[in-house]
Amino acid sequence: MRRTFANHHWAITMLIVLGLLVHMGIARADTPTSPDAAAAFIETLGNQTLGLLAADGKTLEQKEAEVRAVLADNFALVKIGRFVLGNAWKKASQPEKDEYIRLFSEYVLATYSRRLGGYAGEQFTIAKAEPMGKRDALVTTEIQRPSGPPLVAGWRVRGNGDGKMQILDIIVEGTSMLVTQRNEFASVVKSKGVGGLIEMLRVQLTRFGASAA
Amino acid sequence: MMTPTTGETGKMTSFEIGGIKSMLTLVRAMCLAIGVLVFSAPFSASANDVEAGWSAYQKGDFSTALSIWSGLAAQGNDRALFNMGVMHDEGRGVAQDRAKAMEFWRQAAKKGNSQAQHNLGLAHIAGLGVEENPDIAVGYLKQAAITGEIRSQYTLGKMYHYGLGVHKDAEMAFKWIKKAAETGLDRAQYNLGKMYRDGDGTPASATEAAQWFLMSAEQGYAKAQNHIGIRLVRGEGINKDPVRGLMFLILAARQGHNAAQDNVKAAAADLGADDAAKAEKRADEFIPRNSGT
């Protein structure tokens, strides 16, 4: 019964994400992305990332900086940033768009490299890969944990037709990164505009992380 | 009770007196050492435990770090409370729970932890895990800024600049941003350059503006590199040096600064191929100065 509910929840999330992507013009009918190629892309990227995190002789901060660089090359940051900003993107000036994308990228990469920081030495497997929408593929990965159920994540991948692939979204336990981020920023954009969001991102990036003293 | 031994005359020889003195010194030293051990034990053990948690954290073993720091947090250790807040805020080794993170940071902030005060201030600016309230944010930022927390000084300056949680006050904005800039924060140096350029909270000065843009640019801050690049090309507030100016423009453009990309084209066309190549080479060899902030 619980599993049925989880699957149902997952399916609803997928539909919402797909609907929003279509609405934003991100999902267009074009060359479909091969699920097998997308799975190979995620497998290579995952191994590379976990390998960096498992390296000896470096601080966690250094390792996460390396992971950030890898993710930066493989995330469709401009597309994601545009989607997250919603209709406000069209009203923003070019310098605002540039600054927003720069800060948003830094924010997203910092968030996800930190999330991955705890998976050094873990093993992940590709559970399945399937088409998503008309153009993308959804790769589902599982990380086995010592206790509790495995961590299941969905990676929405798009190929550009000449072999280059990029991640458009991550869905963890039924929650889409795109939708979460969009909801988080919507109220700021509504009350303070894109300029206010830029300032908020700039300020949030000065947060202190854990330290020994 | 110890009786001092004496020599044949009933008087203590200098050797014996020296021996007793040595013994007393030894006893005093032992008492002192025991005292130090007794009184410092809880503190040093605590510091060691924070370090042990940090060591696990560095290995990505967040569950061990959590287990060590949660014990110390329960004893009121401010660093452990702060770190517990970070782990809940970032979802490291535990499900992300911003409300819980705020609670840990509030406790650490009460104990004077300036990083917790800073993070709480930021959370109240954005309303992340806590009510959006610029007045409360300013309160926390002031506490941290006064103790010398550079990021808080800079953010407080911006709060005065925008009139968020405080009355808009250009001079107070200048005061706090200058403090952060003088300690070496690249963003603060860039903003101070703009304030001198515009006469915002301070009399306008092209020379001061250029100097602060230059300091920020040397640390690698792209926007400042674009500003100082243009000033060096034109000789505005600083001696003209078009090759160095183009070098900074190239560095900014390489970081994705769009206006700098256009400025590179214009400056390179004016300079000619040889000087443009020199600027490119200097950009390749550029090493950002690290202020440690």
Side-chain angles (χ1 to χ4, degrees):
Chain A
M1 185 69 190
R2 206 170 147 199
R3 185 167 178 79
T4 310
F5 174 77
N7 289 342
H8 182 63
H9 185 54
W10 173 272
I12 289 172
T13 304
M14 288 298 101
L15 284 171
I16 293 170
V17 172
L18 183 61
L20 285 167
L21 288 170
V22 169
H23 174 69
M24 290 302 300
I26 287 179
R28 291 194 310 268
D30 218 324
T31 319
T33 303
S34 148
D36 287 345
F41 163 67
I42 291 295
E43 188 166 20
T44 305
L45 185 62
N47 286 331
Q48 190 182 358
T49 302
L50 295 180
L52 287 172
L53 289 169
D56 289 330
K58 287 179 184 166
T59 65
L60 184 64
E61 197 180 3
Q62 288 168 331
K63 289 190 264 189
E64 287 182 1
E66 289 174 355
V67 170
R68 265 202 301 280
V70 171
L71 295 183
D73 286 342
N74 293 288
F75 267 61
L77 288 164
V78 176
K79 280 195 183 79
I80 295 169
R82 279 181 64 165
F83 170 78
V84 165
L85 200 53
N87 290 328
W89 175 265
K90 290 176 198 160
K91 295 173 197 157
S93 67
Q94 192 55 48
E96 278 179 331
K97 286 178 183 171
D98 293 344
E99 186 65 353
Y100 161 73
I101 289 295
R102 187 182 75 77
L103 292 166
F104 174 75
S105 303
E106 211 177 313
Y107 184 78
V108 166
L109 294 173
T111 302
Y112 285 91
S113 58
R114 285 195 295 246
R115 296 266 167 86
L116 290 166
Y119 295 107
E122 303 278 356
Q123 291 296 316
F124 82 102
T125 51
I126 305 282
K128 59 180 173 177
E130 57 200 337
M132 187 180 195
K134 290 183 178 171
R135 206 179 160 191
D136 304 333
L138 180 70
V139 181
T140 305
T141 58
E142 286 184 4
I143 294 181
Q144 301 298 328
R145 291 184 283 194
S147 59
L151 179 78
V152 180
W155 306 79
R156 184 180 183 129
V157 175
R158 174 172 300 174
N160 67 358
D162 63 4
K164 172 81 179 163
M165 300 219 178
Q166 284 193 309
I167 296 164
L168 277 179
D169 195 9
I170 306 174
I171 299 125
V172 179
E173 296 179 358
T175 306
S176 150
M177 169 189 81
L178 282 178
V179 177
T180 305
Q181 217 69 79
R182 189 181 162 104
N183 292 344
E184 199 169 292
F185 291 172
S187 62
V188 181
V189 173
K190 196 176 172 188
S191 60
K192 300 189 182 75
V194 177
L197 178 65
I198 287 171
E199 205 53 60
M200 194 273 276
L201 284 169
R202 199 175 280 149
V203 161
Q204 294 308 320
L205 286 164
T206 72
R207 273 185 184 223
F208 286 102
S211 65
Chain B
M1 192 172 163
M2 281 177 75
T3 311
T5 54
T6 56
E8 287 172 6
T9 58
K11 287 183 181 173
M12 287 186 284
T13 62
S14 60
F15 177 75
E16 285 166 338
I17 291 170
I20 289 166
K21 277 185 180 168
S22 299
M23 190 178 288
L24 282 173
T25 308
L26 184 65
V27 169
R28 274 196 208 109
M30 283 173 70
C31 288
L32 188 66
I34 291 166
V36 167
L37 282 173
V38 166
F39 289 107
S40 67
F43 301 107
S44 58
S46 186
N48 286 342
D49 289 347
V50 171
E51 281 286 346
W54 180 243
S55 170
Y57 183 88
Q58 285 297 305
K59 289 175 191 144
D61 182 0
F62 296 150
S63 59
T64 302
L66 268 172
S67 139
I68 294 171
W69 285 337
S70 66
L72 289 171
Q75 293 168 29
N77 179 296
D78 76 296
R79 176 53 49 189
L81 283 164
F82 172 74
N83 287 345
M84 288 295 289
V86 171
M87 296 192 83
H88 282 84
D89 180 60
E90 295 178 353
R92 287 185 189 263
V94 66
Q96 188 180 42
D97 186 340
R98 285 189 163 138
K100 223 173 207 174
M102 298 306 134
E103 192 42 50
F104 280 117
W105 284 342
R106 265 187 223 109
Q107 291 180 51
K110 270 189 196 161
K111 291 177 177 293
N113 186 298
S114 59
Q115 295 188 342
Q117 290 161 352
H118 178 82
N119 284 7
L120 275 170
L122 301 193
H124 279 288
I125 292 174
L128 292 174
V130 74
E131 69 164 311
E132 186 187 328
N133 187 327
D135 296 355
I136 298 175
V138 164
Y140 280 121
L141 290 170
K142 274 185 183 168
Q143 287 174 22
I146 288 165
T147 63
E149 202 60 80
I150 304 158
R151 297 182 196 182
S152 311
Q153 291 171 341
Y154 171 69
T155 310
L156 186 59
K158 295 297 263 185
M159 298 296 271
Y160 276 111
H161 177 78
Y162 289 111
L164 268 175
V166 278
H167 288 296
K168 201 167 178 168
D169 186 333
E171 285 179 15
M172 286 297 280
F174 177 79
K175 174 194 151 178
W176 284 110
I177 290 174
K178 189 164 189 265
K179 271 183 191 288
E182 283 169 345
T183 319
L185 190 69
D186 55 1
R187 277 154 284 164
Q189 291 171 338
Y190 165 72
N191 274 273
L192 200 64
K194 284 204 300 180
M195 294 176 109
Y196 274 116
R197 178 196 66 187
D198 302 336
D200 183 8
T202 185
S205 165
T207 313
E208 287 282 351
Q211 285 312 309
W212 287 104
F213 284 141
L214 181 63
M215 277 192 256
S216 178
E218 282 176 340
Q219 290 201 64
Y221 199 68
K223 286 200 234 175
Q225 288 174 334
N226 182 52
H227 277 280
I228 197 62
I230 294 167
R231 277 161 180 75
L232 283 162
V233 168
R234 293 178 184 160
E236 261 180 38
I238 193 165
N239 289 337
K240 197 169 177 173
D241 186 345
V243 173
R244 193 174 180 213
L246 180 56
M247 174 197 77
F248 277 121
L249 293 173
I250 291 167
L251 289 167
R254 285 182 186 172
Q255 293 190 63
H257 193 291
N258 279 346
Q261 285 161 4
D262 294 337
N263 291 331
V264 165
K265 286 177 200 157
D270 286 349
L271 266 182
D274 286 353
D275 280 346
K278 275 184 206 164
E280 193 87 34
K281 187 170 179 289
R282 283 174 69 173
D284 291 342
E285 291 164 357
F286 176 81
I287 298 168
R289 188 175 292 170
N290 188 356
S291 72
T293 54

